[in-house]
Each structure stands twice: as structure tokens, then as C-alpha cells.
Amino acid sequence: MATGTAAPGRAQIRERHLRTDRWWLAPAVTVTILTGFIIYSTWRAFANADYFAEPYVSPFYSPCLAENCDSMPMSANAPLFGDWWRLSPALIILIFPLGFRLTCYYYRKAYYRGFWASPSACAVPEPRGKYSGETKFPLIMQNFHRYFLYFAVVVAGILTWDVIIAFRDEHGAWGHMGLGTVVLLANVLLIWAYTLSCHSCRHIVGGRLKHFSKHPMRYRYWQLVSRLNTRHMQLAWASLFSVALADLYVYFVASGVFDDPRFF
Amino acid sequence: MSYKANFRVWRGDVDSGELRDYTVEVNEGEVVLDIIHRLQATQAPDLAVRWNCKAGKCGSCSAEINGRPRLLCMTRMSTFSQEETITVTPMRTFPVIRDLVTDVSFNYAKARKVPSFTPPEGLKAGEYRMQQVDVERSQEFRKCIECYLCQNTCHVIRDFEDNKEAFSGPRYLMRIAELDMHPLDVADRQKAAQDEHGLGYCNITKCCTEVCPEHIKITDNALIPMKERVADRKYDPIVWLGDKIRRRK
Ligand code: SF4
Ligand code: SF4
Ligand code: FES
Ligand code: FES
């Protein structure tokens, strides 16, 4: 039996949709950028090289949770995985930001539309006969997004530390600032803004309350996060670009493509 | 300044129908509903269309224009070029009655499934006291004009007739969120949202928000907060434990 807009009773219109605008543009851009990012980050995560150029650590490799990392003085490394881990240490830590973004309410919209065509655009029919949304495994797991948020806060804290130690020069003396410091700083600000503008964060700080009047402080936080939250999409993209650029910058400096320009 | 526009309007009923071409005059400042009315007055006296206020406030004139769910009375002709053909069809998620008129009773049935406002026991009407900050958040949802454009656009039921049984649609999930956020409502809305109204079917792709003529942030302010509240209740052992120990909401 025909389903969807062809279901019995509905207006029998032959065209699957009648949109005349460029509705395919947004999903196409999403797919292009996300695919590009996946290719880039896969290459960098497996590379296991050129991720440290004193005093800069690539955000893809911080913190290092295995023992096979380059020596990175003062970085927030914790070799929890010991020395049996032979692969790139980035693979361990990247699971957390990956999970955070994969279960993010905004990225979900982006990839459901872009990769799954579910739907590609509003009033453009889905190319499938059945749909259960986020009611079944595995998509029901999206409900665990908040746990990734908790990890993401820790990771953002560590990346903040990486910025702090980027104010030392290559001999470990404080009072340095190079272009790399600025790049890492910009990245960490965007990461924080993205992380704090999270819908789960908005819920946790105050959204879950029934009575704001009984919790004036949480109400304030909720208002702050709500304001950031309206920019969540923009922050999601901006921080995706910034994290890749920060890594690329460290790669360039570490592999000797150019020297880090120093301000002082 | 007036010009002749090309229109394609769906004409038909539940058994059959077709997109029919018309050439019709358009004057400055007009909206699509004006053109539909001119068609009725000049070339198609039997064309069926539902409307009331012509001010975007009654929610009657919902239809699809160039494939996009919109209010006929709030879509300005100036948003189209003079050359393009403008296609007008009825909403494609609900059963058609005739021409541009659909049977939206699905929505009334879903509305009835949401238990009404439930104040605490013993509190009589007239004794309600609440703080402005506590009611503010759900005021946004009360701007709804019940046009059902969001219901019509939502792919969960638009593309899958079978899901109509299990899914109440953005309009009524928003109603549930409104009640759940209400400072004096004591009914359990959270489990019902997931188990009886199908909140889990929503994949937050935001088409409801995109089409809402009242610009209500349905997804960000109602559906996602509701998903988070459901996660508290059903998918988060830590919150569940915390709520057992401490009871102040
Ligand atoms: S956000 Fe959810 S309710 Fe709104 S249209 Fe999309 S799937 Fe439907
Ligand atoms: S929420 Fe918006 S789109 Fe949905 S019925 Fe109300 S006014 Fe219409
Ligand atoms: S990070 Fe996007 S919603 Fe949580
Ligand atoms: S006629 Fe009332 S909303 Fe269009």
C-alpha cells in the first residue's frame, strides 16, 4: 500500500515534492564539510606524528592517555592505558569529542538531513518505507548525550591548560606568545562556547526546573546558556573548523613547514 | 503595478485530482490568498479554500506554495518573480476534502489525548498563585494559532502514514512541554510524552520550527527540553537517584 504523501485519502499529487528553491544546497554543504573533516581528522589521528611543537600540543592529541606519546613537558598527560597501546594515542581521546558531536542535537539534525535524507529538506520525502526515529537501538542511545557533555567539559578544561602552557617559550620560560598561542586560544574559546551552549547543558543548569523563582542563581545560568544556545549551530561549525585549524597549525610548525611567528 | 501571473492549483477530491493551470492578475501588495480569491471570482467559482482572518491569526488558510507549507494569507506575491509559476496544493499530510481544503481532525484527536492542566489537589480555581519567571517560558508556546503547518511538515507522519497512530506531532508535544513546565501542573507529562505521544520519533530536524508562522522555536524550546526531561526520567540513573534523595523542583 502506498504510504507517505501517496497514502490513500491524501491529495493524489504525482510529484513527490514541489519545491522549486535550492533545498538540496544545505544538505550538500553539510555532507561536503563533514566528509572533509572526517578525512582530515582520520589522517591526523592515525598519523601519530607532528602533533607537538614546543610549547604547542595539537588538540587531537591532548591529553595523551597512553605511554607512547612524544615527551610533552607540562601537558596534562595521564598514561592510563599504559604501554600496551601501540596505535596512535589520539584514537583513545578522540572518542570523547567524537561521541559528543555525534550525539549533539545540532549535529544530529545536520547528519540526519545530510547523510540520511531523513528528511533532506522540509516537505521533501524520505527515500524509505519505514521510520522509527530515535525510539529504537541504536538511535535511542542519543539520549546519553549528557554523559558526553560531562567528558567534553573535562576535555575543554585540558585544552585550556594547553593554552596556558602555550604562554611558555620552547625552553619552558613563561612570558611567550606566538601565533600558535593565539590559534590555540581562539580554538579553546570556541570549544568552550560550543560546549556550554549545549542543549543538555541548558537543561542541567536550569532547564529542568519547574520553578525558576526558587533557584535565582540557576535561573541566571539558564538565561546565559539559553542566549548562547541560540547560536549553537554557528558554534558547532566554528569550533569544528577551529579545532582542525589548530591541529593543522601545530602540524605545520612541528613538521617544519614554517616557524611559529613570535609576538614576545 | 499589476501583471499576469502563472498559477498551478490542485483541483480535486479524495478520489482524484490534478494541478490545473491558470493565468491571473496580480496587483501590488497582494498575498497568495488574494490571488486564490480572484480565481474564485473570475475563473473558478467552485474552488474550495478555507480562510477566515486574512491576518495570519486564525490558522485556517494553511496550504503548500511551491512545495513549502505556508499560510496563504501571509505569503506575499512580492516574494516570487513575475515569470515563475506558482504551485498551490493542499497540505499533503492530511486527507483532502476538496481542492485546497483538508480534513485536519487528526490534530483534534491528538489534542484530546493530552490530559488538561492538572493543578495540585485541593487547590481551587482562584487560589492559583505563581511567579512571572515560572510561567514565562511556556508563554511562547501559547502564541500557537493551530494552523497545523508544523504537523503537516513533520516527516514522521508526512512520510509515514503508519506513524500517525504512535506520534502526536510537534504541536501536541509542545503542548505537553508547556504543561510540564507549568509551575502548578502536577500530572506526569514526561513518561507520557515518550510512551504515549511518541516523542522518540522526533529526530529534531527542525522542519516544524522552519514552517511555524508564529516563529515559535518549537524544537529548541519545547521538543529538545522535553527530550532532556524524558532522559532524566528514563535514561539517566544519576538523576533518577538524585531525585529519590532530594525533592525540590
Ligand atoms: S523537529 Fe521533530 S517534531 Fe519537528 S518536524 Fe522534525 S521530527 Fe517532526
Ligand atoms: S506551533 Fe506554529 S506551526 Fe504549529 S500549529 Fe502552532 S502556529 Fe502552526
Ligand atoms: S553539544 Fe550540541 S546539543 Fe549538546
Ligand atoms: S486566513 Fe487566518 S491565518 Fe490565513
Side-chain angles (χ1 to χ4, degrees):
Chain A
M1 192 179 79
T3 174
T5 45
R10 305 194 195 183
Q12 298 300 309
I13 300 168
R14 220 168 310 117
E15 290 83 349
R16 293 175 63 246
H17 73 82
L18 289 156
R19 283 187 69 159
T20 53
D21 55 331
R22 285 185 296 168
W23 56 267
W24 42 265
L25 187 63
V29 169
T30 303
V31 168
T32 311
I33 298 179
L34 287 182
T35 308
F37 181 81
I38 291 166
I39 293 170
Y40 174 79
S41 56
T42 308
W43 164 57
R44 284 294 290 152
F46 279 92
N48 200 3
D50 300 324
Y51 52 82
F52 180 68
E54 183 82 51
Y56 309 129
V57 189
S58 155
F60 284 14
Y61 284 80
S62 179
C64 175
L65 297 182
E67 267 179 13
N68 60 345
C69 297
D70 291 354
S71 129
M72 302 190 283
M74 284 192 75
S75 296
N77 299 331
L80 303 174
F81 275 67
D83 55 9
W84 60 268
W85 183 267
R86 294 290 155 89
L87 299 171
S88 164
L91 300 177
I92 314 172
I93 186 64
L94 281 184
I95 294 194
F96 297 102
L98 179 74
F100 186 47
R101 287 183 190 247
L102 212 56
T103 58
C104 161
Y105 286 96
Y106 170 67
Y107 281 105
R108 270 144 79 182
K109 173 193 169 205
Y111 65 77
Y112 287 146
R113 282 193 182 207
F115 287 90
W116 253 265
S118 179
S120 306
C122 305
V124 173
E126 281 199 44
R128 53 179 68 75
K130 275 226 160 298
Y131 169 91
S132 57
E134 299 182 339
T135 58
K136 296 207 176 94
F137 185 83
L139 291 184
I140 199 166
M141 307 277 282
Q142 307 278 30
N143 284 303
F144 297 129
H145 178 57
R146 54 186 60 186
Y147 287 102
F148 286 106
L149 168 66
Y150 304 148
F151 285 116
V153 169
V154 175
V155 170
I158 290 168
L159 295 186
T160 309
W161 174 249
D162 289 339
V163 175
I164 294 173
I165 60 175
F167 282 96
R168 300 164 315 144
D169 63 15
E170 59 273 28
H171 311 296
W174 291 95
H176 152 103
M177 190 162 109
L179 186 55
T181 320
V182 177
V183 169
L184 292 188
L185 180 65
N187 175 48
V188 90
L189 288 177
L190 286 169
I191 297 266
W192 270 118
Y194 167 67
T195 307
L196 293 178
S197 65
C198 164
H199 286 276
S200 292
C201 177
R202 185 181 184 215
H203 173 75
I204 291 162
V205 298
R208 63 188 301 267
L209 298 169
K210 221 178 175 59
H211 296 104
F212 284 144
S213 55
K214 293 188 191 157
H215 305 266
M217 276 320 279
R218 289 181 69 184
Y219 179 51
R220 288 279 304 281
Y221 295 143
W222 178 79
Q223 285 179 307
L224 272 172
V225 172
S226 296
R227 215 169 311 143
L228 270 181
N229 180 261
T230 58
R231 298 263 165 281
H232 193 56
M233 172 180 88
Q234 288 86 339
L235 291 167
W237 288 117
S239 60
L240 191 77
F241 279 109
S242 74
V243 81
L245 285 176
D247 172 76
L248 188 67
Y249 188 85
V250 174
Y251 167 75
F252 280 152
V253 175
S255 61
V257 175
F258 55 71
D259 284 334
D260 179 47
R262 278 184 76 147
F263 301 124
F264 51 81
Chain B
M1 207 195 61
S2 71
Y3 69 98
K4 299 269 185 222
N6 299 317
F7 265 71
R8 268 159 93 211
V9 182
W10 193 81
R11 304 296 310 270
D13 56 23
V14 65
D15 298 317
S16 66
E18 59 172 1
L19 287 167
R20 215 171 286 169
D21 288 299
Y22 298 95
T23 307
V24 54
E25 186 184 318
V26 175
N27 302 314
E28 199 155 340
E30 286 184 327
V31 294
V32 174
L33 185 59
D34 290 316
I35 313 307
I36 298 291
H37 281 160
R38 183 161 302 124
L39 273 179
Q40 276 183 328
T42 56
Q43 314 173 34
D46 59 340
L47 170 61
V49 59
R50 193 188 272 134
W51 68 285
N52 259 293
C53 68
K54 211 170 162 272
K57 282 291 167 251
C58 71
S60 307
C61 66
S62 304
E64 301 188 9
I65 303 169
N66 282 350
R68 305 179 76 166
R70 320 195 54 150
L71 294 178
L72 292 172
C73 73
M74 294 303 281
T75 306
R76 292 182 171 278
M77 286 304 297
S78 58
T79 54
F80 306 105
S81 74
Q82 300 199 355
E83 297 74 42
E84 77 185 285
T85 303
I86 299 163
T87 309
V88 185
T89 70
M91 290 193 280
R92 295 178 70 175
T93 298
F94 310 121
V96 69
I97 297 174
R98 203 159 68 86
D99 301 339
L100 301 178
V101 178
T102 50
D103 172 4
V104 293
S105 51
F106 163 80
N107 301 288
Y108 308 143
K110 292 299 183 185
R112 276 193 293 273
K113 270 188 65 187
V114 182
S116 56
F117 170 63
T118 315
E121 225 175 305
L123 197 64
K124 287 193 283 295
E127 293 173 355
Y128 300 165
R129 296 291 176 271
M130 43 202 141
Q131 304 278 326
Q132 178 63 23
V133 286
D134 295 340
V135 278
E136 235 159 34
R137 188 165 30 157
S138 52
Q139 298 283 290
E140 179 189 7
F141 311 145
R142 300 198 64 91
K143 290 193 298 183
C144 173
I145 59 171
E146 312 266 359
C147 65
Y148 305 130
L149 284 174
C150 56
Q151 304 280 86
N152 171 56
T153 317
C154 180
H155 68 123
V156 176
I157 46 179
R158 183 183 177 92
D159 296 342
F160 308 96
E161 180 75 19
D162 299 350
N163 290 343
K164 279 188 176 169
E165 182 71 31
F167 186 65
S168 291
R171 169 64 191 102
Y172 295 104
L173 291 166
M174 178 174 88
R175 169 73 179 148
I176 294 169
E178 179 193 333
L179 288 164
D180 199 47
M181 291 171 188
H182 192 291
L184 286 180
D185 188 82
V186 294
D188 185 349
R189 309 280 175 186
Q190 296 164 3
K191 286 209 164 126
Q194 189 81 345
D195 300 341
E196 290 158 39
H197 298 274
L199 179 59
Y201 283 85
C202 165
N203 69 352
I204 53 165
T205 35
K206 287 201 177 173
C207 286
C208 48
T209 307
E210 236 172 74
V211 300
C212 178
E214 284 294 310
H215 306 291
I216 305 172
K217 299 273 176 278
I218 308 172
T219 318
D220 283 352
N221 290 345
L223 304 178
I224 293 176
M226 209 55 215
K227 276 191 178 245
E228 285 293 315
R229 285 160 178 247
V230 167
D232 277 354
R233 286 292 295 282
K234 293 181 67 107
Y235 307 106
D236 192 332
I238 298 176
V239 171
W240 178 83
L241 207 78
D243 278 353
K244 285 262 144 188
I245 300 165
R246 191 170 39 89
R247 278 238 143 258
R248 187 172 69 140
K249 283 197 177 163

